[in-house]
Amino acid sequence: MDAPNIFDYSELSKYGFSYLSTPIMQNGGRLRMYELMGLDAPPIKPPPEPITVELKIDREGKEDQSRYSGLKIKQVLDDDAMAEALAEADRKARAGERLKPKLMEEDYVLPFSDKKNIGPQQTPDWTPEMLDEEGRKRGMAAAWAREAKAGAFISDPFESLFIEGGLRYYSIFAAILSALAFGKASPVLFTDILHWDTDIQELIQIPALMVIVTSIGSSAYSFVQAPQKNRSKWVWAIKGLFGGPVAISQFRTLEALITQNEENIRQKLEEEKA
């Protein structure tokens, strides 16, 4: 029997080093590893001869005598033949022999069932050390996930970029006012369609400019003040730009965000008080 080589993939998997198979292949294969280690490479075996096995199943009992080896109907009616058959069966049972000869199918050998010329094991044989290391890694991952969840801020619907309610109405009003004040088609609208005074556009530009400055100021205020309440400065900067003073009013009514761990402690205290 040939002794296994140290760089055989099956041997690496057997002793828990299956992860070395990929680096070995990337660096020239097993023979290259023998050269780097200064060891004599094992001789290269010729490919195995193809196995041709013919499966023959006799369903009629012409060749497989063991399939129809029982007593015939005439022998069953004969008490002496029946007694001899029972005595022979009892003797074989006491001696541990088979009561009937093997079937032809039982002598059939599947190709590659001798575990030769097969690839490395896809799942390595786990050793106690490998199981301990895997358990330690999973425990560290679970602990990190718990800490990350406990340290994360609780979810708040106001931390989304949804522009709705008063913010939406203000943004629509600001957009329409700015379009009327600085749009190129505004003079045609005021003079030709509405027949208003031509100075109306200049009057509208003053409040429109104030609205634009207010929106920019609200965005800057929200950008600076949001981190103090553990809220996203970019989300509230955008809300301040579209919502103006309405966004600032909404922001001031909100409390500072707390972590999930702090929320759990608060709930426990409320339950104890109740």
Side-chain angles (χ1 to χ4, degrees):
M1 180 178 180
D2 296 336
N5 299 310
I6 58 175
F7 290 115
D8 283 354
Y9 303 129
S10 58
E11 288 297 303
L12 294 175
S13 300
K14 179 179 180 181
Y15 293 101
F17 296 100
S18 58
Y19 59 90
L20 294 177
S21 299
T22 301
I24 289 176
M25 292 298 296
Q26 293 176 349
N27 291 276
R30 294 183 298 168
L31 298 180
R32 178 59 178 167
M33 293 299 104
Y34 284 107
E35 295 179 3
L36 295 176
M37 297 295 292
L39 302 174
D40 295 333
I44 301 177
K45 299 179 181 179
E49 297 180 358
I51 301 176
T52 57
V53 181
E54 181 181 358
L55 177 61
K56 182 182 297 184
I57 300 177
D58 185 13
R59 299 299 184 184
E60 299 179 357
K62 297 179 179 180
E63 298 182 4
D64 193 356
Q65 300 297 329
S66 61
R67 184 174 297 276
Y68 303 99
S69 59
L71 296 177
K72 297 180 181 179
I73 296 179
K74 293 182 179 181
Q75 293 175 334
V76 172
L77 298 177
D78 189 353
D79 294 338
D80 295 336
M82 178 64 73
E84 292 178 0
L86 293 175
E88 181 65 17
D90 183 66
R91 184 193 65 80
K92 290 183 177 180
R94 293 178 181 274
E97 300 178 3
R98 293 175 59 95
L99 297 180
K100 296 180 65 176
K102 288 185 179 181
L103 298 175
M104 295 179 63
E105 293 92 321
E106 297 180 23
D107 293 329
Y108 174 70
V109 179
L110 291 173
F112 306 109
S113 60
D114 54 356
K115 301 299 181 181
K116 293 182 180 180
N117 192 29
I118 59 175
Q121 296 180 357
Q122 299 298 323
T123 303
D125 294 331
W126 292 94
T127 61
E129 292 78 8
M130 295 174 62
L131 293 174
D132 293 341
E133 181 66 18
E134 187 68 19
R136 185 182 67 83
K137 291 180 180 179
R138 293 189 180 184
M140 291 178 61
W144 176 84
R146 287 194 298 268
E147 292 177 0
K149 184 178 181 180
F153 292 108
I154 60 175
S155 59
D156 191 341
F158 291 101
E159 289 302 295
S160 61
L161 281 175
F162 291 137
I163 307 299
E164 54 187 2
L167 300 179
R168 180 180 298 177
Y169 298 144
Y170 181 87
S171 62
I172 294 174
F173 167 76
I176 294 175
L177 184 62
S178 300
L180 292 175
F182 302 102
K184 294 182 179 180
S186 297
V188 178
L189 173 66
F190 293 141
T191 58
D192 297 344
I193 299 177
L194 299 179
H195 303 289
W196 290 355
D197 191 0
T198 56
D199 296 335
I200 191 66
Q201 185 177 9
E202 296 180 359
L203 296 176
I204 295 177
Q205 288 178 354
I206 297 175
L209 185 61
M210 294 177 61
V211 168
I212 294 174
V213 173
T214 302
S215 297
I216 296 175
S218 301
S219 178
Y221 176 84
S222 302
F223 184 84
V224 174
Q225 296 296 324
Q228 298 181 7
K229 291 188 176 183
N230 298 326
R231 296 183 179 273
S232 174
K233 56 184 180 181
W234 297 107
V235 171
W236 282 100
I238 296 175
K239 284 188 173 183
L241 183 62
F242 285 93
V246 180
I248 294 179
S249 177
Q250 186 184 82
F251 176 78
R252 288 180 175 178
T253 59
L254 301 177
E255 298 180 356
L257 286 180
I258 59 177
T259 62
Q260 187 65 42
N261 191 23
E262 293 173 344
E263 176 67 15
N264 295 336
I265 295 175
R266 186 184 64 82
Q267 292 179 358
K268 290 182 180 179
L269 293 176
E270 292 180 355
E271 292 177 357
E272 291 177 357
K273 291 180 181 179

